[in-house]
Amino acid sequence: MQIRTPKRYRGVQRRSVISCRRVLFYMVAMVVIVVGVGIYQNRSLFAPAVQSMVDVVMLEMEQNAATLTAPEPTPTEDPTNKLIEGNNYWRQGAVNEALETYLEILDSVPNEVDIYDRVAVSLITLGRTQDALEYAEKAINANPYSADAWAIRAWALDWAGRSGEALSSALHAIEIDPDSNRAQAYLAEAYYSLGQADRALNMVEDIIEESPDSFEAYRARGIIRWNNFDLDGAVQDFRTAYDIASNMTFIAID
């Protein structure tokens, strides 16, 4: 037999009119509004930072797109064979062929100062002094401490009628290498072009005495003798210079 027990009386539970969640919502909303108004009122301060972030994201997207669409790099041609070919032409005195061959590979051998020197010399002998000066400058850029590069620049400047600059370039070459016969010979040519013939002649004779294998010195003395009407002596100097450096065909023309 079950006895029904009456339930205990419970008073009516009243809910709070304002719940905690609602209060929290309104507080967060107020904070967001205050922050938003602050940012808007000071937007000039935040704009650079935002723009910088946007630029960074855009740059990354562009780089990723470029990487995905970039073509495969073409293999670089080995310049060794062309270099050997150009050197062979140079030793044979085939100036035009050597020049054309060297020009084909210069981009592949940007630090080969000797090649730039030979290109400059070839252009000087062809009468292209402005082009020669350009490549003489490139030789210096390839190696600023090359006395030969500064000496050839002096030669190109002298042939371009800029003897004062040629003098400075030759002196700098000698400063780098005081024993450079080439630099001393081109210095003598610069002095001669500046009207100091006796000084130039004494210089080249000293070079010849110390270094009888300097074809530049013999050629410089030949030019001085020729202009002083010592024609036999000039021809003899040109022949001696050509015997020493038979690949320098411009000496044969002299």
Side-chain angles (χ1 to χ4, degrees):
M1 181 177 178
Q2 296 180 354
I3 301 175
R4 294 182 178 179
T5 304
K7 296 181 178 179
R8 293 182 181 180
Y9 175 77
R10 297 179 180 178
V12 178
Q13 295 180 354
R14 296 183 179 181
R15 295 183 178 180
S16 176
V17 177
I18 301 176
S19 67
C20 292
R21 289 184 179 178
R22 186 171 296 178
V23 171
L24 181 61
F25 171 77
Y26 285 127
M27 291 176 64
V28 172
M30 289 297 295
V31 170
V32 171
I33 291 172
V34 170
V35 172
V37 171
I39 292 175
Y40 178 77
Q41 291 178 343
N42 298 278
R43 57 187 180 276
S44 61
L45 298 176
F46 293 96
V50 174
Q51 185 62 46
S52 177
M53 293 175 62
V54 172
D55 291 342
V56 170
V57 173
M58 293 298 295
L59 179 60
E60 290 180 354
M61 293 176 63
E62 291 176 359
Q63 290 176 344
N64 291 335
T67 302
L68 292 174
T69 59
E72 294 184 2
T74 55
T76 303
E77 184 179 355
D78 186 359
T80 303
N81 291 334
K82 282 289 185 180
L83 187 59
I84 294 173
E85 182 181 351
N87 291 341
N88 289 336
Y89 282 134
W90 180 261
R91 284 190 289 267
Q92 295 167 11
V95 176
N96 289 327
E97 291 79 0
L99 176 61
E100 293 176 1
T101 306
Y102 286 144
L103 289 176
E104 290 179 16
I105 61 171
L106 271 180
D107 291 338
S108 301
V109 288
N111 297 321
E112 291 289 342
V113 63
D114 290 342
I115 305 304
Y116 283 108
D117 284 344
R118 290 179 180 182
V119 169
V121 170
S122 299
L123 291 169
I124 291 173
T125 62
L126 294 173
R128 297 167 56 183
T129 53
Q130 293 301 323
D131 293 334
L133 183 57
E134 177 185 344
Y135 282 97
E137 298 284 359
K138 290 181 178 181
I140 292 173
N141 291 334
N143 183 3
Y145 301 102
S146 171
D148 281 350
W150 285 96
I152 290 174
R153 178 178 181 268
W155 191 20
L157 285 166
D158 189 44
W159 277 44
R162 297 159 61 180
S163 301
E165 295 174 69
L167 183 70
S168 298
S169 187
L171 287 171
H172 187 67
I174 293 173
E175 182 180 355
I176 295 172
D177 182 7
D179 297 325
S180 174
N181 296 323
R182 168 174 284 178
Q184 293 174 13
Y186 295 150
L187 177 63
E189 287 195 30
Y191 277 128
Y192 182 75
S193 298
L194 292 170
Q196 301 185 39
D198 292 338
R199 183 173 187 175
L201 183 59
N202 290 332
M203 285 188 65
V204 292
E205 288 182 344
D206 288 342
I207 298 169
I208 291 171
E209 183 177 353
E210 294 178 3
S211 302
D213 59 344
S214 173
F215 77 89
E216 290 101 339
Y218 279 106
R219 181 179 176 276
R221 191 172 69 174
I223 293 173
I224 296 171
R225 284 178 167 178
W226 183 268
N227 287 283
N228 288 339
F229 303 103
D230 181 5
L231 305 187
D232 292 336
V235 170
Q236 183 60 47
D237 281 338
F238 290 143
R239 286 177 175 170
T240 303
Y242 187 62
D243 289 340
I244 296 171
S246 57
N247 62 318
M248 299 294 179
T249 53
F250 66 92
I251 302 176
I253 298 173
D254 291 335

